[in-house]
Amino acid sequence: MKSKSFKRYFILLYPFLMLITLVLVALISNISLNDILMAAAKPLTSPFYRLSFIKEFLIVGLLSVAMNLSLSMGEMNFSLEGIFHMAVFLSALVAIYFANFFIIIVLVPIVLYFLWQVPKKVSRGDGNKLIISSLIFNYLILGAINYLVYTFFSDENISSAVTKDFAFALDMKLGVAIAVASLVAFIIFAVKTSLVTKLKIIKDAPSILTSTGTEIKKEKRAIDLCLTLLTSVAAFLYLFLNYNRFSLQSFTGYGFDAITVTLLARGDFKKLAYPAILITYIRLLSLVMQTEFSFVSSVMYLMQGVLIFISILEARDDRNY
């Protein structure tokens, strides 16, 4: 997969391939084409689903920028789904038991930062081991959070998969403002610290930094901190945009969506918007079809897995080249 033209067309067409596959699976499942077209139009025509699209895009977009930071410096750390779950869980825990949102601002990013380092410590700088260890660690976090919610923090009056109530919600306008402010703060920090340039050097020629006496670990720590801060903001928006509790049954996939977006963008921040919009649309279309026609499809996550597998093979070939 070393052809630049192939990569360019692959990036452009893969989201559409996901969309076509979703439609074909729906047709095989005896959903009529007319119903599929009606579902496809709802994210654009229904006020409720338009609002949902904005919320989904904010979350997927912030997580995509966060994941892109890791990918831009050549680290294929795939534990973002678990890290995002942990951020939401910790925010909910604070909202339920502490009612002190300053703790969310300080506690959550710090916890996420240390969790993000675990797969890297286990792999000890080996890129192939990092891929495997991060995927394993991802599911260990998911399993731990499921156990904690079901065992200690669920509302048995509603469902064992639903957390207890917390009395706080964000207005959509405020949510958008928080997301924009977070991105602006990140951009200012990136420009002031020449972060993009450093990312490119770290990825392409880390020996240059070593030979000039530059502390690579310091740069990577700063990048990881930005990553966890953006993930924390995404979790905060997910949890408090018109919610007063969260359910494990519908709480999945955002981290994998972001990984898909960043793999398609190939670490280029300028190319994130296109796949982020399409992946968000496909996510929402799946939700509409599930709500309207009881159509439950895992095809999107299957294709995300295929993309991750292809990217792993490509990364391995690039290292061996």
Side-chain angles (χ1 to χ4, degrees):
M1 242 191 256
K2 301 186 184 302
S3 167
K4 291 184 178 180
S5 61
F6 178 83
K7 286 184 180 180
R8 182 168 61 249
Y9 290 121
F10 182 79
I11 291 168
L12 288 172
L13 295 177
Y14 199 84
F16 288 104
L17 180 60
M18 293 177 70
L19 185 60
I20 292 169
T21 304
L22 180 65
V23 171
L24 290 175
V25 172
L27 289 172
I28 294 171
S29 302
N30 297 319
I31 298 176
S32 70
L33 182 59
N34 185 57
D35 286 341
I36 294 173
L37 293 175
M38 288 177 60
K42 284 204 171 185
L44 306 174
T45 58
S46 166
F48 171 78
Y49 284 117
R50 280 204 301 268
L51 194 64
S52 297
F53 181 86
I54 295 172
K55 290 190 290 185
E56 300 281 304
F57 180 72
L58 289 177
I59 297 164
V60 173
L62 285 169
L63 289 177
S64 296
V65 174
M67 183 64 199
N68 207 57
L69 285 169
S70 178
L71 198 63
S72 294
M73 63 180 178
E75 289 186 354
M76 300 185 79
N77 189 341
F78 290 140
S79 55
L80 186 64
E81 176 77 4
I83 297 296
F84 176 68
H85 274 64
M86 181 60 74
V88 175
F89 172 74
L90 290 174
S91 299
L93 184 62
V94 171
I96 294 169
Y97 291 104
F98 296 96
N100 182 349
F101 291 96
F102 179 73
I103 297 178
I104 295 178
I105 298 171
V106 176
L107 173 67
V108 175
I110 293 175
V111 173
L112 298 187
Y113 173 83
F114 286 110
L115 286 175
W116 187 256
Q117 308 308 312
V118 173
K120 297 201 286 187
K121 294 294 184 182
V122 172
S123 63
R124 297 181 180 181
D126 188 311
N128 291 322
K129 289 182 180 178
L130 176 59
I131 293 169
I132 297 170
S133 63
S134 64
L135 287 171
I136 294 173
F137 186 63
N138 196 23
Y139 287 101
L140 288 176
I141 295 178
L142 298 182
I145 292 174
N146 273 270
Y147 173 78
L148 290 172
V149 171
Y150 276 110
T151 306
F152 298 107
F153 307 117
S154 61
D155 189 339
E156 297 294 345
N157 295 322
I158 301 175
S159 168
S160 59
V162 177
T163 64
K164 296 177 181 178
D165 186 32
F166 44 86
F168 180 79
L170 281 176
D171 176 77
M172 175 56 73
K173 291 182 180 178
L174 181 57
V176 173
I178 291 172
V180 171
S182 301
L183 286 174
V184 169
F186 165 71
I187 291 170
I188 292 173
F189 174 77
V191 171
K192 291 290 186 181
T193 59
S194 303
L195 185 63
V196 174
T197 301
K198 291 174 181 176
L199 281 171
K200 183 173 178 57
I201 295 175
I202 290 172
K203 179 181 179 181
D204 296 338
S207 59
I208 294 177
L209 292 178
T210 304
S211 63
T212 56
T214 303
E215 179 55 66
I216 300 176
K217 291 183 179 179
K218 181 180 178 181
E219 307 297 340
K220 289 189 174 183
R221 282 197 296 267
I223 292 165
D224 286 345
L225 184 58
C226 286
L227 182 153
T228 54
L229 284 169
L230 290 170
T231 304
S232 299
V233 174
F236 185 83
L237 294 178
Y238 169 83
L239 191 61
F240 298 119
L241 277 175
N242 301 323
Y243 292 98
N244 63 352
R245 60 179 76 241
F246 80 85
S247 170
L248 286 173
Q249 294 169 342
S250 59
F251 176 44
T252 183
Y254 289 96
F256 289 124
D257 290 344
I259 291 171
T260 303
V261 170
T262 52
L263 288 176
L264 290 170
R266 287 295 193 269
D268 189 336
F269 286 94
K270 298 187 294 295
K271 296 177 180 178
L272 284 176
Y274 158 74
I277 290 171
L278 277 178
I279 294 299
T280 303
Y281 176 78
I282 295 170
R283 159 180 276 277
L284 192 56
L285 177 58
S286 299
L287 176 62
V288 173
M289 294 174 68
Q290 179 176 334
T291 304
E292 301 289 333
F293 312 116
S294 299
F295 171 71
V296 180
S297 172
S298 301
V299 65
M300 180 178 175
Y301 301 113
L302 173 63
M303 297 198 70
Q304 287 175 339
V306 171
L307 178 62
I308 291 173
F309 179 72
I310 292 172
S311 299
I312 290 171
L313 291 179
E314 183 183 56
R316 186 190 64 181
D317 291 342
D318 287 345
R319 284 192 201 94
N320 295 333
Y321 182 67

